[in-house]
Amino acid sequence: MFVGSIIAGTAGFGMGMTASPFMLLVLDPRTVVLLSNAMGIAVFTVVLYQSRRALPVKEMSVIAVAGLVGTPVGVIVLSTVSPNLLRIGISVLIMLTAIAVVTNVGTIFGKSKIIGPVMGFVVGAIIAAFGIGGPLMVLYLLARGWSSQMLRASMSFFFLINMSTGVVGYAVTGLYTKERVLLTLIVAVPVLIGFTLGGLLLKRLDESTFRRGVIAVILFTSTMTLARELLRLVS
């Protein structure tokens, strides 16, 4: 979570994708998702405040509302699907994201605003169910040609609304146990430290380096998960 928060503080996304493959080695999938989303609320609140002037409010509001519609679907999946299926789902989603980046599939989005709400619904459901999915939205926003500040503001706005709704849903469905709440409080310390370091790193990056870094994060986290699943098959 420390490393993931550095990446989130820099790129505006990626905490769940970076931390999930490692946390799944020692924690059950539901706990991993709950931790990622709870910590995401704190991180993305600060990111949104920092880059609020670059937020395209009108367009992202429509996308965020679509994400809210998808959130209950994800909460139902998280509370009903077996841990094994969740683990497989997380791995498959990250690997598909890697393929999308390598094949430059983001260019098919072009300048279309119609795809935005559809993407919002899909990503909203995925984040609530698996704690990841941000890269799919990143591909769409990168294809729009938005700057790093617009990207960070937009992703933080979307994540904050989506994750907050998801956390409420987790509480209503009884997914928060005493152990999970305690673990969340413990994890908050390294997350805040990592986020601060990520903000310092961002100041040293230009637009080109930022975009390359975003793609590198997606590819790196996808490769980690793929390697982990292959090792599980071998063992």
Side-chain angles (χ1 to χ4, degrees):
M1 291 296 288
F2 170 73
V3 176
S5 64
I6 293 177
I7 293 174
T10 306
F13 80 103
M15 183 164 64
M17 283 190 65
T18 304
S20 292
F22 294 105
M23 291 197 296
L24 284 171
L25 295 173
V26 293
L27 298 172
D28 67 276
R30 289 192 179 95
T31 298
V32 171
V33 173
L34 266 63
L35 277 177
S36 297
N37 283 353
M39 288 298 96
I41 292 175
V43 168
F44 295 126
T45 295
V46 179
V47 173
L48 179 59
Y49 177 77
Q50 293 174 340
S51 54
R52 61 190 182 282
R53 291 185 176 85
L55 176 66
V57 178
K58 184 177 180 180
E59 185 169 350
M60 285 309 302
S61 294
V62 175
I63 295 176
V65 169
L68 287 179
V69 177
T71 298
V73 177
V75 172
I76 293 173
V77 170
L78 180 64
S79 60
T80 58
V81 178
S82 71
N84 287 337
L85 288 178
L86 284 178
R87 187 176 291 112
I88 293 172
I90 291 173
S91 302
V92 170
L93 284 171
I94 296 179
M95 285 187 284
L96 288 176
T97 302
I99 295 173
V101 174
V102 172
T103 58
N104 202 26
V105 72
T107 57
I108 67 174
F109 297 137
K111 301 297 182 181
S112 175
K113 294 183 179 181
I114 299 177
I115 298 179
V118 176
M119 187 63 65
F121 174 84
V122 173
V123 174
I126 291 174
I127 292 176
F130 304 111
I132 59 175
L136 297 176
M137 183 65 72
V138 172
L139 286 173
Y140 170 71
L141 298 182
L142 283 176
R144 302 292 312 272
W146 288 2
S147 67
S148 60
Q149 287 301 316
M150 289 180 69
L151 182 66
R152 294 178 82 248
S154 299
M155 293 302 298
S156 299
F157 179 76
F158 180 85
F159 281 145
L160 185 57
I161 293 177
N162 180 269
M163 289 180 172
S164 298
T165 306
V167 166
V168 172
Y170 302 151
V172 171
T173 54
L175 289 174
Y176 274 109
T177 62
K178 291 182 179 179
E179 290 79 6
R180 284 171 175 166
V181 171
L182 178 60
L183 185 58
T184 300
L185 294 175
I186 294 173
V187 168
V189 177
V191 165
L192 291 175
I193 297 174
F195 175 76
T196 301
L197 294 177
L200 296 175
L201 178 61
L202 176 65
K203 296 179 181 179
R204 299 178 177 271
L205 301 179
D206 56 28
E207 287 292 331
S208 178
T209 304
F210 176 85
R211 285 176 172 269
R212 290 197 298 269
V214 166
I215 300 300
V217 168
I218 297 175
L219 290 175
F220 174 68
T221 52
S222 302
T223 302
M224 283 196 306
T225 303
L226 176 59
R228 176 183 174 277
E229 291 306 307
L230 290 176
L231 288 175
R232 285 175 60 86
L233 290 176
V234 173
S235 60

